Amino acid sequence: MNFDWSKYFNVETIDKVLRIGIILVVGLLILGIITAVVKKLLPARFSMQRKMLINRFVRYTGVVILFLIIISEMNIDLTAIFGAAGVIGIVIGVASQTSIGNIVSGFFLVSEKPFELGDLIRIGDKSGTVYSIDLLSIKIKTLDNLLLRIPNQTVISTEVINVTKFPIRRLDIDLSVAYKEDLEKVIEVIKRVVKRNPFCLDEPEPLVVFKDFGDSGINILLGVWFEKANFLKVKNSLFIEIKSTFDAEGIEIPFPHVSIYTGEATKPFPFVAKASE
Amino acid sequence: MDLDSILKKHKILPGETKLIDIGCVQLSATRKNEGWHLITTDNCPHDDIDLSTDSTLADYFQTGNSNTLIIAPALPVEPLVFKGTGLNVLPNQQLTFFLKIPLAFQIYFSKILPENLLKEITYKRLSDTWFGEPDSGEPAFSLGSEYFLDINEIKITDLEAICPVLVQNTSSEILNVQRLIIRDENVTLYKNGDKIVTSLVHVEFKGNEVAGEVGYHYSKEYNGEKQEIIAKPRNTSGKNLLKLNFHFIKNIYRSE
């Protein structure tokens, strides 16, 4: 069987392929330049997320325009392509419902803006900084530097906590003091520790609340406000300072106690100390 | 050490070290061949804030050939919040009161130029506070609640400045001055006799949650006839600002 190669590899075809190649190379180059220029021209006050969205819009629009130019250069009838695209679209749509769900969820995420690039978020039991918000998923850089991909549909249907949305936060510390302690003195000592800590804000005022009479002592909630960047500093320094000040002031931090009785509720178990031989 | 012996050109030759006391903070400046080794040591007795975490700070700056170190006065880097207690201004009334502001000190090499600034020292650590709501406010330093109605009543040290504040109530409600912010980046420092006095802070109160107008102006009465400027404002633009200047405390724990 004689195959007529000249039908495909003639001057006209080679000319067309070359022209398409040149259009493709020049087009991608121009698109790259336009994207870079747009990136540079975007005002600094725009958030990282807004910049990313504008850049992607420019790039995808450019790719679509380039695709249409190449199609018209190839003299392909677009109606046939669109017709085929409709059929293919239905097939792909049925086969990839999850992906489409993710894409639609992605649009909701972008419009609702519960977080932006760089925010520290908590989804379920995972925490991390938002690394990218893509068509199908968001990527999170966890605090131990792992990349976590979460499908957009999961993000939409899960409770998301944006830890760094607001400039200041409150750190809650549960404390416990022995029943014998003078509670007014305890409050005064706690307030003094907070006031002296350089990372605690003096306003909004720290919260000191007696929570309940616990099994081993009186439970107290201490809430201190701090600028979000100081989380680790404030947490570590407060724990050290509270412990050392309580020690210095003779305030006992209790641990679980068990009282053993020998029949009468108010009389303790008789304990006799014997000198060792 | 008095203020004049701090605020001058300090000539230090390569290999030499000079100790300069700024209040209870000591600056040790060592001239190296091509730079400066600056160590600040905080010897302040514990008062409001515990500084033990950053009591000694050492930095080296590669600056080139100049053997001159200049110390210039400034105001703290963050806005200052006055916490009023029982201070009220009735409608269509105005009140002038005075505050004490601790100075900051800027250390330059060669000449006082923004690019020659090496370090800033505050001799007194002010408490960090927050002005406004937790979701939208701004960080600031707390000035406390001490105020004076007569400028002659104020006893200041060499390292403090007097800040005159004029509050004008043009609203129809009583103004209870709870929190007032002074954006000291717009404030000029003047020398008036032996005192350092800031520009007059003129605040107009137009009502709760309404942006009032504030201006930072030279006042012949408080800043002296000669207008002897010793520190220009950090931010020279926007001398008349239309912002929220007062904050009224809300009980954020109501729901708990």
Side-chain angles (χ1 to χ4, degrees):
Chain A
M1 196 177 98
N2 277 339
F3 190 77
D4 186 11
W5 288 99
S6 62
K7 200 174 160 187
Y8 299 99
F9 287 97
N10 51 31
V11 178
E12 202 181 319
T13 319
I14 291 169
D15 177 53
K16 197 181 269 183
V17 169
L18 272 177
R19 253 189 298 145
I20 290 168
I22 290 167
I23 289 170
L24 195 65
V25 171
V26 173
L28 286 176
L29 200 71
I30 291 171
L31 187 58
I33 292 169
I34 291 173
T35 317
V37 169
V38 168
K39 205 173 182 178
K40 267 218 159 126
L41 289 180
L42 287 176
R45 67 189 152 86
F46 279 17
S47 67
M48 281 199 287
Q49 183 163 324
R50 193 188 280 193
K51 285 180 186 172
M52 183 196 75
L53 286 174
I54 294 172
N55 259 309
R56 284 194 182 163
F57 176 76
V58 171
R59 196 181 311 141
Y60 292 151
T61 312
V63 168
V64 170
I65 292 170
L66 195 59
F67 175 74
L68 292 175
I69 292 172
I70 290 169
I71 292 289
S72 71
E73 195 60 37
M74 290 165 82
N75 292 327
I76 295 172
D77 185 8
L78 282 178
T79 37
I81 287 203
F82 286 135
V87 175
I88 294 166
I90 292 166
V91 173
I92 293 174
V94 171
S96 57
Q97 279 181 13
T98 317
S99 302
I100 288 169
N102 280 326
I103 292 170
V104 174
S105 304
F107 287 124
F108 285 125
L109 268 184
V110 168
S111 59
E112 195 188 340
K113 268 208 324 195
F115 47 75
E116 293 198 351
L117 288 183
D119 280 350
L120 179 66
I121 61 169
R122 207 179 290 152
I123 299 180
D125 59 345
K126 305 278 189 275
S127 298
T129 314
V130 180
Y131 196 65
S132 75
I133 302 168
D134 298 321
L135 213 56
L136 295 173
S137 63
I138 65 162
K139 315 271 188 320
I140 286 176
K141 196 168 79 166
T142 62
L143 299 176
D144 52 349
N145 211 26
L146 303 175
L147 190 75
L148 176 68
R149 178 188 179 276
I150 305 175
N152 287 338
Q153 228 171 347
T154 312
V155 179
I156 282 285
S157 56
T158 316
E159 195 176 82
V160 179
I161 297 174
N162 189 336
V163 179
T164 50
K165 171 80 177 168
F166 301 124
I168 54 171
R169 288 175 58 192
R170 197 180 81 183
L171 170 72
D172 288 349
I173 299 175
D174 287 317
L175 297 167
S176 191
V177 294
Y179 276 102
K180 68 178 173 67
E181 300 302 342
D182 173 359
L183 294 182
E184 282 180 5
K185 181 186 168 190
V186 170
I187 293 278
E188 182 267 315
V189 168
I190 292 172
K191 285 189 172 170
R192 193 186 342 135
V193 169
V194 173
K195 192 170 190 259
R196 284 167 55 85
N197 187 297
F199 307 110
C200 295
L201 296 174
D202 67 353
E203 258 176 18
E205 266 188 54
L207 172 74
V208 187
V209 181
F210 292 113
K211 276 173 69 183
D212 50 43
F213 294 100
D215 292 339
S216 308
I218 293 173
N219 296 326
I220 302 167
L221 170 72
L222 167 66
V224 292
W225 290 85
F226 60 96
E227 286 186 54
K228 62 186 178 186
N230 291 335
F231 175 71
L232 290 178
K233 286 180 188 166
V234 80
K235 190 162 186 178
N236 285 338
S237 60
L238 262 188
F239 268 71
I240 293 168
E241 285 159 17
I242 288 171
K243 172 74 170 64
S244 61
T245 314
F246 274 20
D247 286 350
E249 296 284 341
I251 296 172
E252 186 189 335
I253 300 174
F255 48 88
H257 287 70
V258 177
S259 296
I260 302 170
Y261 299 103
T262 55
E264 202 175 328
T266 50
K267 284 191 178 171
F269 195 85
F271 178 76
V272 181
K274 282 185 180 174
S276 58
E277 290 172 7
Chain B
M1 191 174 249
D2 64 28
L3 196 61
D4 291 334
S5 61
I6 298 170
L7 304 180
K8 65 173 192 180
K9 285 188 176 182
H10 298 269
K11 203 94 182 153
I12 305 168
L13 298 173
E16 287 181 1
T17 297
K18 187 167 185 180
L19 300 176
I20 304 161
D21 289 315
I22 302 172
C24 49
V25 175
Q26 189 177 67
L27 169 70
S28 159
T30 305
R31 176 77 179 120
K32 301 286 182 186
N33 283 338
E34 291 282 307
W36 293 91
H37 191 218
L38 302 180
I39 303 172
T40 48
T41 309
D42 192 308
N43 300 316
C44 301
H46 289 324
D47 44 10
D48 285 352
I49 301 290
D50 188 356
L51 286 166
S52 57
T53 49
D54 54 1
S55 59
T56 301
L57 294 169
D59 294 288
Y60 175 76
F61 299 92
Q62 181 75 9
T63 56
N65 288 328
S66 172
N67 291 333
T68 309
L69 208 62
I70 304 166
I71 302 180
L75 286 166
V77 284
E78 285 193 356
L80 304 164
V81 171
F82 165 66
K83 299 178 174 183
T85 45
L87 190 60
N88 300 289
V89 185
L90 270 73
N92 303 316
Q93 293 293 318
Q94 61 180 43
L95 164 74
T96 305
F97 60 94
F98 305 90
L99 304 171
K100 283 201 279 194
I101 298 181
L103 292 174
F105 293 89
Q106 296 177 324
I107 301 163
Y108 295 88
F109 74 96
S110 184
K111 282 178 184 169
I112 297 182
L113 293 171
E115 60 269 29
N116 288 4
L117 178 65
L118 303 178
K119 201 169 187 163
E120 283 201 32
I121 298 174
T122 44
Y123 87 94
K124 187 179 178 186
R125 174 74 154 81
L126 295 166
S127 309
D128 287 305
T129 191
W130 193 254
F131 179 79
E133 299 301 329
D135 58 346
S136 59
E138 56 185 304
F141 287 137
S142 168
L143 272 184
S145 56
E146 191 184 30
Y147 69 92
F148 302 87
L149 292 173
D150 183 350
I151 194 167
N152 299 314
E153 279 178 12
I154 311 175
K155 303 249 180 312
I156 55 164
T157 66
D158 279 350
L159 308 176
E160 287 172 317
I162 298 171
C163 177
V165 181
L166 170 65
V167 176
Q168 197 176 0
N169 184 357
T170 56
S171 74
S172 55
E173 51 200 290
I174 295 179
L175 165 63
N176 173 225
V177 182
Q178 292 187 356
R179 301 293 179 263
L180 167 68
I181 192 163
I182 294 165
R183 295 194 168 80
D184 56 355
E185 60 171 9
N186 298 101
V187 170
T188 309
L189 281 178
Y190 298 92
K191 184 138 199 193
N192 184 6
D194 59 342
K195 289 186 179 119
I196 295 176
V197 184
T198 71
S199 349
L200 174 69
V201 181
H202 183 171
V203 200
E204 188 185 346
F205 175 72
K206 295 177 176 175
N208 279 345
E209 303 297 322
V210 179
E213 203 165 324
V214 62
Y216 300 91
H217 307 296
Y218 161 74
S219 151
K220 198 184 276 185
E221 187 182 354
Y222 304 119
N223 301 132
E225 299 262 341
K226 282 200 293 182
Q227 237 193 100
E228 194 183 335
I229 295 174
I230 57 167
K232 288 180 182 167
R234 290 173 194 267
N235 179 6
T236 46
S237 65
K239 281 213 160 187
N240 286 295
L241 302 162
L242 204 65
K243 279 186 173 176
L244 280 180
N245 299 299
F246 294 97
H247 176 62
F248 302 95
I249 310 293
K250 290 173 192 147
N251 185 0
I252 57 174
Y253 301 121
R254 264 179 308 198
S255 58
E256 292 187 22

